[in-house]
Amino acid sequence: MKIFVCIKQVPDTETRIKLKPDNSDIDSNGVKWIVNPYDEFAIEEAVKIKEPNQGATVTVVSVGPKARLTNSLRTAMAMGCDDGILIDEANSLDSLTMAKAIAKAIKAEGEFSAVFTGVLSIDDNESAIGPMLAELLEIPHVGVVSKLESAGDEWTAEREVEGGTKEVFTMKLPGLITATKGLNKPRFASLPNIMKAKKKPIKEMTLSDLGLSSDDVKIQLNQYQMPADKEPVKMLTGDSAAQVSELVKLLREEAKVL
Amino acid sequence: MENILVVAELQNGSLKKGTKELLSSLVGKGKTISAALAGEGADSIKEELQKYGVTQLFNQASLTQYNPTSFTQFFAEAIKQSGANLVLASSNAMTKDVLARVAARLDAGFINDCTELSFDGGIHLRRPMYSAKCSAGVNLKLEGTSIVLMRANQLPVLEGTESSTCEIKALDAGTENETLKVKDIIKGESEKLDLTEADRIVSGGRGLKEAKNFEMLEELANVINATVGASRAVVDSGWVPHSMQVGQTGKTVAPSLYIAVGISGAIQHLAGMSGSKVIVAINTDENAPIFQKASYGIVGDAFEVVPKLTEQLKASL
């Protein structure tokens, strides 16, 4: 059984974002990079499925600049992935170009049983890579999965939609799952596993090795802006009755949202 | 970007607000507009669509339950037949999932979560980035097709004043196969709008002290027709389900009014709600970070303030 997990490296939520002087992108100097939190659910699920299966393997795949991305692949390996594929690319890519790169890298590895991704990455909130990848690999997918029964070659996946409603699908392998919170509790890597991860193999390639180029993108982001300065908060004073009266008045007359 | 297809969605037999927002952005712009509806209800929205100048509605009435396989086939076919070079949809669980897949099938550009859209001299698009710590302009390639998903509640709804004739074109492109089947639908308890679509949200955190005190928020929410959300801390404590979580690893919301009760405002929470237009914070701790993001702040006991607020709004609305 061969499983792939696709991860993305994203700025830590706590990181302060600054822009480049020409506003063409964010200034990545001083940014702390982490594995996208949703991808940790994907890694955990893949590793959980692998562990009781003799001979099963989990390969972690990611696209980004090698200098910083290697670190995140090692994190995934410390959580239990067996090897990695690093697609070295410094430019930002749109979702479709990134999905194409990952799909080509996965296809080149031959047969597989399943692919896991996080439901979205917290940098751009796109939530597109999973469904795109499934389409490019010509396999079914279930997105936003918070519960998975993964015995045998037909899996049952619960997909969370609006209003707390859940759609339950049965999916024949090979298939793709995008993982969300609730699916599992990602493990913390132990020190021995962190040490072991340093020796696990990483296959490196570039976009051009895969017949792609960053010029292929169909969507480009530009003209970055910081948000306008927020008006300072109006603190409402007095006893609770006075505070409430003032609040209702402001919501109605000033903010006009009631 | 002259030929546009809008993904139409229904609520209670008429067009959903998100769909109306998209159609409103096209009013008076002289575009050729098609729509696509998966599922029943084509006849019930035909008149509304005509007012917005929609000339054809692609429909497959049999697609009553979401399945990525059949929905991908339907929307890909509708887009192809319409010849649209721009596809607009309101971003939600269904559209995000299926249209990303459609984009890969049609080799189309795809961008989700846009918050600004206008057609004055070409198309203008922007979207938040890095949990709204900054925003970016979106450039689409002019050749080929682009698929653009807008966040709900970002655009004004205008009345359509056109009088086009909308032809319903029945398709049967969408079929399921044995690789992916719907086994069951577990209905959520809430009949309310989802957090991501709600225009008003009342959210609770640890300051509510225990799960049953969310009833107090429900009462307030009922009075102002809001949806109830929650912080990660109370979801992790099992007080409320994950579907109610606002913030990182929960939902990103951008309502007109967000009332945060007993929420301190961890950065992961702020990441999911700072796009809200007006934020009210009610908290006992005057140093809680939520006040930095708030428009109006009340330092006080939620158990005193919230019932009074509910009463006063009930009396005056």
Side-chain angles (χ1 to χ4, degrees):
Chain A
M1 184 180 213
K2 192 166 177 62
I3 302 174
F4 288 93
V5 185
C6 310
I7 67 167
K8 191 175 184 188
Q9 197 178 42
V10 297
D12 188 2
T13 324
E14 315 265 348
T15 287
R16 208 174 132 231
I17 295 289
K18 289 173 292 180
L19 303 184
K20 284 184 176 167
D22 65 354
N23 294 331
S24 62
D25 204 342
I26 62 162
D27 179 358
S28 55
N29 284 317
V31 170
K32 184 187 169 203
W33 298 91
I34 58 166
V35 173
N36 175 42
Y38 287 97
D39 299 344
E40 293 184 359
F41 301 120
I43 297 167
E44 177 63 34
E45 199 64 14
V47 171
K48 229 170 67 184
I49 292 167
K50 173 198 83 163
E51 279 170 339
N53 280 304
Q54 193 84 47
T57 59
V58 177
T59 302
V60 56
V61 191
S62 193
V63 184
K66 181 184 159 187
R68 61 171 158 86
L69 186 57
T70 307
N71 202 13
S72 287
L73 290 183
R74 296 287 174 211
T75 303
M77 290 170 167
M79 288 174 71
C81 296
D82 300 284
D83 56 1
I85 298 176
L86 189 157
I87 305 166
D88 183 17
E89 173 58 43
N91 294 306
S92 8
L93 302 174
D94 64 354
S95 302
L96 187 54
T97 310
M98 193 173 273
K100 282 178 183 171
I102 297 170
K104 287 196 170 189
I106 289 177
K107 272 187 180 166
E109 298 289 300
E111 302 259 304
F112 61 89
S113 299
V115 181
F116 285 88
T117 70
V119 62
L120 58 85
S121 59
I122 61 165
D123 51 355
D124 61 14
N125 231 13
E126 274 275 280
S127 72
I129 296 284
M132 284 177 171
L133 195 51
E135 176 66 22
L136 297 168
L137 293 169
E138 299 168 75
I139 56 173
H141 83 273
V142 184
V144 207
V145 172
S146 56
K147 194 175 166 194
L148 181 67
E149 286 165 34
S150 53
D153 61 1
E154 187 173 89
W155 290 0
T156 304
E158 255 183 47
R159 158 180 162 78
E160 277 193 12
V161 296
E162 279 85 12
T165 294
K166 285 173 179 160
E167 302 170 341
V168 187
F169 287 91
T170 53
M171 180 180 78
K172 281 217 164 80
L173 299 189
L176 181 145
I177 296 287
T178 82
T180 194
K181 186 176 169 178
L183 184 58
N184 53 47
K185 287 218 158 40
R187 69 192 69 188
F188 289 103
S190 66
L191 191 59
N193 284 342
I194 292 170
M195 299 312 288
K196 254 190 256 167
K198 290 183 179 164
K199 296 197 181 94
K200 291 180 177 176
I202 295 180
K203 202 185 272 183
E204 289 174 16
M205 57 192 76
T206 62
L207 272 196
S208 62
D209 294 337
L210 297 163
L212 296 164
S213 148
S214 60
D215 296 336
D216 296 341
V217 297
K218 296 171 191 292
I219 305 277
Q220 272 175 325
L221 300 180
N222 55 20
Q223 295 175 311
Y224 277 74
Q225 273 173 13
M226 299 306 281
D229 284 337
K230 184 189 148 302
E231 297 251 329
V233 58
K234 267 189 197 163
M235 298 304 287
L236 311 181
T237 51
D239 63 10
S240 59
Q243 288 173 317
V244 165
S245 296
E246 180 68 4
L247 177 63
V248 171
K249 189 172 162 230
L250 287 167
L251 289 176
R252 200 163 276 155
E253 291 167 17
E254 186 178 73
K256 297 189 171 68
V257 288
L258 283 179
Chain B
M1 304 279 162
E2 292 310 306
N3 188 347
I4 297 172
L5 181 135
V6 173
V7 173
E9 293 179 274
L10 269 74
Q11 190 162 28
N12 306 325
S14 53
L15 287 176
K16 223 178 188 177
K17 181 164 176 266
T19 308
K20 285 191 203 169
E21 290 179 35
L22 301 171
L23 290 166
S24 298
S25 73
L26 300 169
V27 167
K29 304 294 180 206
K31 309 286 185 191
T32 303
I33 311 168
S34 308
L37 170 72
E40 293 163 345
D43 288 319
S44 70
I45 56 169
K46 190 175 156 178
E47 218 167 289
E48 273 185 284
L49 291 175
Q50 292 184 154
K51 285 190 186 156
Y52 284 110
V54 176
T55 51
Q56 51 183 351
L57 171 63
F58 296 95
N59 176 238
Q60 184 170 341
S62 62
L63 298 178
T64 50
Q65 177 52 49
Y66 180 60
N67 181 316
T69 313
S70 55
F71 276 53
T72 299
Q73 289 163 335
F74 166 71
F75 283 111
E77 184 62 25
I79 293 165
K80 262 194 259 172
Q81 288 201 17
S82 72
N85 44 19
L86 177 65
V87 177
L88 294 177
S90 185
S91 183
N92 57 43
M94 184 273 279
T95 55
K96 278 193 281 197
D97 200 63
V98 69
L99 294 176
R101 190 153 185 150
V102 168
R105 180 163 303 185
L106 300 178
D107 200 31
F110 178 92
I111 189 86
N112 180 18
D113 210 23
C114 293
T115 50
E116 288 179 32
L117 165 69
S118 62
F119 289 95
D120 299 313
I123 182 170
H124 166 90
L125 278 169
R126 288 193 72 81
R127 55 158 303 162
M129 293 292 294
Y130 305 100
S131 315
K133 284 179 188 166
C134 61
S135 68
V138 179
N139 262 15
L140 308 176
K141 260 197 179 167
L142 291 177
E143 66 267 28
T145 305
S146 301
I147 301 177
V148 172
L149 274 63
M150 287 289 300
R151 257 194 216 178
N153 300 320
Q154 303 299 311
L155 300 169
V157 172
L158 309 176
E159 285 298 315
T161 54
E162 310 270 334
S163 51
S164 62
T165 308
C166 179
E167 190 189 339
I168 296 177
K169 297 198 165 169
L171 301 183
D172 59 1
T175 51
E176 293 181 15
N177 60 46
E178 77 291 343
T179 65
L180 187 65
K181 288 202 168 275
V182 178
K183 190 184 170 200
D184 197 8
I185 305 296
I186 305 166
K187 274 271 165 220
E189 287 162 24
S190 177
E191 292 295 310
K192 292 212 174 126
L193 274 180
D194 191 65
L195 285 168
T196 52
E197 295 174 307
D199 198 35
R200 292 172 184 169
I201 292 173
V202 179
S203 235
R206 275 246 189 263
L208 287 173
K209 299 204 168 77
E210 54 179 320
K212 74 170 175 51
N213 293 328
F214 264 79
E215 285 168 19
M216 182 172 85
L217 299 193
E218 293 284 352
E219 282 165 29
L220 172 58
N222 285 340
V223 174
I224 56 170
N225 197 19
T227 301
V228 177
S231 71
R232 174 181 167 164
V234 303
V235 171
D236 286 353
S237 305
W239 295 4
V240 296
H242 174 236
S243 58
M244 286 172 66
Q245 185 183 327
V246 172
Q248 187 178 306
T249 67
K251 286 178 176 148
T252 302
V253 302
S256 299
L257 176 60
Y258 189 93
I259 303 179
V261 183
I263 293 177
S264 63
I267 190 148
Q268 288 80 1
H269 188 77
L270 301 179
M273 48 65 80
S274 57
S276 309
K277 286 191 193 80
V278 175
I279 296 169
V280 175
I282 301 168
N283 205 297
T284 47
D285 175 9
E286 62 180 310
N287 295 317
I290 190 77
F291 287 120
Q292 303 295 320
K293 287 278 171 189
S295 327
Y296 306 117
I298 290 180
V299 176
D301 180 359
F303 298 98
E304 234 178 82
V305 174
V306 173
K308 283 204 171 88
L309 183 57
T310 308
E311 278 315 307
Q312 189 160 349
L313 289 168
K314 206 188 273 175
S316 63
L317 283 174

